[in-house]
Amino acid sequence: MATAPEIDWNAVIADPRFQTLHRRKQGFLTGLMVFSVVFYFLLPIGAAYFQDLFKVKVWGVVNFGLLFAITQFVVAWLVAFYYSRRAGADFDRLAREIAADHEKGRG
Amino acid sequence: MNLQNRKLVAWGLAAAAVAFGGPAVAQGAVAPEYRWLTFAVFAAIIGLTMYVTYLAAKRVKSASDFYTAGGGVTGIQNGWAIAGDYLSAASFLGIAGLISQYGYDGFMYSVGWLVAYITVLLLIAEPCRNIGKYTLSDILAYRNNPKAMRIVGALSVITVSTFYLTAQMVGGGVLVKTLIGIDYEYSVIAVGVLMLAYVLFGGMVATTWVQIIKAILLVAASLILVMLVWTPYGFSLPGFLGDVVADPKVQARVATLLGDPAKNMSALELGQRFLEPGLYFKNPIDQISLGMALVFGTAGLPHILMRFFTVPTAQAARTSVVWAMAIIGGFYVLTLFLGFGAAKLVGPQAIAAVDAGGNMAAPLLAQFLGGGSNSFLGNFMLAFVSAVAFATIVAVVAGLVLAAASAIAHDLYVGVYHGGDVVPPQQQVRAARIATVVVGALAITIGIAAKGQNVAHLVALAFAVAASANFPCVLLTLYWKKCNTGGIVLGMVVGTVVAVGLTLVSPNVTYPKAVREASQKVLDGEAAKRAAIAEKLASLDAAVVKQGETDQATLDKAVKKANDDLVKVAGKEVSIMGLEKPMFELKNPGIVSIPLGFLAVLLGSLLFRDKRSEELWPEVYARQNTGILASKATSH
């Protein structure tokens, strides 16, 4: 891969705006990722070890387990939606500013 | 018409001739007098995609056009293409089949396939778009030793693609044979030749459009079926499922699955059990292990990663994953109705009688909803679903072959053999096309050679290798400062070797002794079952007689399989690894191999040093986060 010596990458990393972006993204992504993985594994774990709960009928013949599985879809979509809202409103703006300044500064 | 297009047309006609002109001797789900309908529908789909390929072929001039459609695909288009690439026959027909046979567990299985995209969305898609070019190795080679990265990366891509490709070719061959009755070998060749026509002439542009068209057809077909299934219940979920639970066919199926414990259960209890977990998945640890492979493996699948290089910006990459999640998730929710609808309307036994794995659930449901096996509409709908299934296999195989070919041509030929020297664009495209033909020919050969083999576990193995080798390497090179060449090489080797090694000593491979015992048990029980069936056939109740006939067909199949199996393992005592019984009890290695893959990258990075990896870290981290220069990267 070609490197681009005309951009001072250490300066980009040291840019306070980059540090802000890095901090915000790191916390947000880690939190959302851990939540999603834990929430997903509740499904196979629950189906195996909490069968009595999964068998409870809540809506006609529809039981808790079935509703929980459907909830997985809804939660996955909400996570995706929440992430793209946050990224579009916050991360993109910072990234664009940083990119514009440092790309302009070269040469 | 120039030479190129003339070649394309000839190629398409050849594929059509193989598919339609081949001796269609066997009996498929489509009745012989309606087979022309399937061909007509499929010819229309081929015609449409070939036209797109014809338009695309003019635009493929550079390596960038061939591998990534010049980075000119929009986010929404890419979202549909990802869905088309991902919804293989295994998830299109397999999950509906699993639900029709085992109820709840089949639906639960589908969840992991969607959640996988959260990993892709949050961690992989945008950074890969920002620093990648054509292949997985491009990402690894950015800061680590390029030659070493291209070799291990290409080997891993070829390994994963080969497993996945074999499963698709063999599964596709069986599927087309079951649906239409074309001989196995002819369907494998038809899939292969058709796929080559798209990839060879249209590269990524054509592949993308084939995947988009297929995804739209798939979603449309499923939507129509679900409307027909659900409308009678006024779109009430409890109403629909209440009817499924009350169905005697479903209750009988649960009774068969449960065996003795079913004797003390009422009919309604048996039906309700269909909506409860545990009819298919018996080992929770195995189930979690599979979930890990899905959730982390998708982000390491080369043909999925490659799709993110086709869009111009990180924002477009994000949009494409969100769209893909909406389409893929929506499709699995529809599958819930297809699977349970097929169980209620067609019956689990009738579906299993055509294909033991349940793969025919959706096609048979389509036939039933159209008016049954003797009606024109019923056969038209079956033909339509069958044609979509065929298109599905072609679209998925095209994506896989493109990924494998790019690893060979771009990483091994241009990157390693030419050592990063400037290779003229014409020559790069030529190399890519030659690699495509080689991989395509190999896929056809493997498909024919592996006839009759049980390849179902190969898809899971592809995900396991991707999750244990590719995912830790890509993730850590993007996010961990200390990651370096030593870590990636060790991680790739350990992840791949452990995942494949554990599978080789797992219950997935054949253990002749166990097969012999199981087959003997079927044959020993045959007489008693025959007596029970004879009793049913003598009944005055037409429904009971019909049940008896279905039972008889199922038993005949089981006996034939038992006899075939006995012949296959005759004279053998041990598995290919020389074992009498599995050494590793799980079918899915992920729970062991994924942590070991991560550990290997960590240890390798700490044990070895690489100045280049350290020096380029600021550049990688700045670029993956901000997309600096990313837009320029697409223009050269």
Side-chain angles (χ1 to χ4, degrees), chain B residues 152 155-156 468-469 473 487-499 597 600:
Chain B
V152 290
L155 286 179
S156 162
S468 315
C473 290
I488 303 288
V489 172
L490 201 64
M492 281 287 189
V493 172
V494 169
T496 308
V497 169
V498 172

Side-chain angles (χ1 to χ4, degrees), chain B residues 240-328:
Chain B
F240 165 64
L241 290 175
D243 235 21
V244 173
V245 166
D247 189 87
K249 297 187 291 293
V250 171
Q251 292 162 355
R253 167 69 184 168
V254 176
T256 315
L257 285 173
L258 289 179
D260 284 339
K263 293 204 172 81
N264 303 320
M265 292 167 75
S266 75
L268 265 182
E269 277 173 336
L270 284 173
Q272 185 66 34
R273 187 71 187 81
F274 203 57
L275 302 183
E276 293 167 357
L279 290 179
Y280 183 71
F281 294 116
K282 304 291 182 197
N283 183 341
I285 305 295
D286 219 347
Q287 169 52 22
I288 291 166
S289 189
L290 173 66
M292 287 176 71
L294 290 176
V295 169
F296 301 122
T298 304
L301 288 179
H303 63 293
I304 298 295
L305 275 183
M306 198 171 182
R307 290 236 52 95
F308 295 111
F309 306 134
T310 65
V311 290
T313 61
Q315 286 74 26
R318 184 190 306 146
T319 310
S320 56
V321 191
V322 172
W323 271 85
M325 284 182 73
I327 300 160
I328 293 167

Side-chain angles (χ1 to χ4, degrees), chain B residues 31-74:
Chain B
E33 63 266 38
Y34 286 110
R35 203 174 271 147
W36 66 270
L37 248 177
T38 307
F39 291 151
V41 176
F42 192 58
I45 297 177
I46 294 183
L48 180 63
T49 47
M50 278 293 166
Y51 178 68
V52 174
T53 306
Y54 162 77
L55 295 180
K58 293 186 209 162
R59 284 169 48 194
V60 177
K61 294 194 180 72
S62 67
S64 159
D65 296 331
F66 190 84
Y67 295 129
T68 62
V73 178
T74 70

Side-chain angles (χ1 to χ4, degrees), chain B residues 7 10 34 39 49 82 117 121 124 166 179 181 185 225 241 272 303 308 345 395 406 426 463 474 534 536 548 597 599:
Chain B
K7 264 198 258 172
Y34 286 110
F39 291 151
T49 47
I82 292 170
Y117 278 90
L121 176 67
I124 299 295
T166 307
L179 278 170
E185 284 83 358
L225 295 182
L241 290 175
Q272 185 66 34
H303 63 293
F308 295 111
L345 297 171
S406 67
Q426 283 299 319
F463 274 88
V474 171
K536 278 187 190 164
L599 198 67

Side-chain angles (χ1 to χ4, degrees), chain B residues 513-538:
Chain B
K513 270 194 167 169
V515 170
R516 207 168 292 135
E517 278 163 21
S519 303
Q520 204 54 54
K521 211 172 142 197
V522 172
L523 295 180
D524 289 347
E526 188 189 348
K529 281 195 176 156
R530 289 258 179 248
I533 290 169
E535 230 170 77
K536 278 187 190 164
L537 290 178

Side-chain angles (χ1 to χ4, degrees), chain B residues 91-320:
Chain B
S91 48
F92 163 34
L93 300 172
I95 292 176
L98 218 49
I99 296 174
S100 79
Q101 299 297 307
Y102 301 96
Y104 183 86
D105 279 7
F107 183 53
M108 185 172 87
Y109 176 63
S110 73
V111 173
W113 295 76
L114 174 70
V115 173
Y117 278 90
I118 294 182
T119 315
V120 177
L121 176 67
L122 298 184
L123 303 176
I124 299 295
E126 296 173 45
C128 284
R129 164 58 272 174
N130 278 342
I131 72 164
K133 199 174 169 199
Y134 305 147
T135 64
L136 175 104
S137 307
D138 286 337
I139 298 162
L140 302 176
Y142 200 106
R143 56 187 285 222
N144 305 306
N145 180 296
K147 234 178 205 171
M149 290 304 103
R150 295 201 183 281
I151 292 171
V152 290
L155 286 179
S156 162
V157 168
I158 293 166
T159 308
V160 172
S161 304
T162 307
F163 288 150
Y164 213 118
L165 205 53
T166 307
Q168 294 299 322
M169 293 304 273
V170 176
V174 173
L175 193 73
V176 174
K177 180 166 186 274
T178 319
L179 278 170
I180 322 175
I182 301 175
D183 270 357
Y184 176 87
E185 284 83 358
Y186 284 94
S187 26
V188 168
I189 295 172
V191 168
V193 172
L194 203 58
M195 171 279 299
L196 274 176
Y198 296 130
V199 180
L200 209 50
F201 296 99
M204 184 52 109
V205 184
T207 303
T208 302
W209 280 105
V210 170
Q211 288 167 346
I212 293 173
I213 291 170
K214 167 246 158 153
I216 292 174
L217 288 171
L218 185 56
V219 170
S222 307
L223 262 179
I224 294 169
L225 295 182
V226 170
M227 286 299 141
L228 292 172
V229 168
W230 208 11
T231 314
Y233 301 95
F235 299 106
S236 152
L237 183 63
F240 165 64
L241 290 175
D243 235 21
V244 173
V245 166
D247 189 87
K249 297 187 291 293
V250 171
Q251 292 162 355
R253 167 69 184 168
V254 176
T256 315
L257 285 173
L258 289 179
D260 284 339
K263 293 204 172 81
N264 303 320
M265 292 167 75
S266 75
L268 265 182
E269 277 173 336
L270 284 173
Q272 185 66 34
R273 187 71 187 81
F274 203 57
L275 302 183
E276 293 167 357
L279 290 179
Y280 183 71
F281 294 116
K282 304 291 182 197
N283 183 341
I285 305 295
D286 219 347
Q287 169 52 22
I288 291 166
S289 189
L290 173 66
M292 287 176 71
L294 290 176
V295 169
F296 301 122
T298 304
L301 288 179
H303 63 293
I304 298 295
L305 275 183
M306 198 171 182
R307 290 236 52 95
F308 295 111
F309 306 134
T310 65
V311 290
T313 61
Q315 286 74 26
R318 184 190 306 146
T319 310
S320 56

Side-chain angles (χ1 to χ4, degrees), chain A residues 4-17:
Chain A
E6 61 269 51
I7 288 185
D8 183 353
W9 297 104
N10 283 309
V12 180
I13 295 272
D15 189 321
R17 285 172 303 181

